[in-house]
Amino acid sequence: MSKVVFTSAAGDTREVEAAAGDSVMEVAMRNGVPGIVAECGGSLSCATCHVFVAEADLAELPPMEEMEDEMLWGTAVDRQPNSRLSCQVRVTDGHDLHVTTPETQI
């Protein structure tokens, strides 16, 4: 099993176990992690699950698809080079992920 480490904009950290294939958004919602709103439930239509992926983990992820790229321009907090939508980032077996949530999603 892998883990996702969530860090809030204020610096609070929470580590959660995650199954391979789950999205980071699903892991956050299932475990009550604050900072992920996920209004659309993962259907890639709202951008309220915006996260900043740790630079060390970014290279391990598949590149974002065009729709995710478009949605990231509509986030409440300005997009950064390491921005991703957590509904589009999947946990893989043996790889832990470290993400930071923005100050707000809406």
Side-chain angles (χ1 to χ4, degrees):
M1 196 160 257
S2 299
K3 64 182 175 184
V4 179
V5 179
F6 295 91
T7 303
S8 72
D12 300 317
T13 301
R14 181 158 176 204
E15 187 175 302
V16 180
E17 287 194 6
D22 286 348
S23 73
V24 171
M25 184 224 49
E26 291 168 330
V27 173
M29 298 308 292
R30 201 171 29 246
N31 290 282
V33 174
I36 304 286
V37 176
E39 285 183 346
C40 73
S43 64
L44 192 57
S45 63
C46 74
T48 61
C49 66
H50 180 210
V51 293
F52 303 106
V53 178
E55 293 294 331
D57 297 336
L58 205 53
E60 298 293 324
L61 299 177
M64 75 175 71
E65 304 266 332
E66 183 179 346
M67 187 61 154
E68 179 184 3
D69 188 38
E70 292 288 327
M71 292 300 299
L72 280 166
W73 291 113
T75 58
V77 172
D78 287 343
R79 153 189 205 152
Q80 301 296 318
N82 62 332
S83 287
R84 294 293 302 261
L85 295 179
S86 62
C87 67
Q88 299 301 299
V89 176
R90 297 275 170 199
V91 175
T92 56
D93 198 27
H95 289 125
D96 297 338
L97 288 169
H98 300 78
V99 300
T100 300
T101 56
E103 291 178 20
T104 187
Q105 294 283 2
I106 51 176

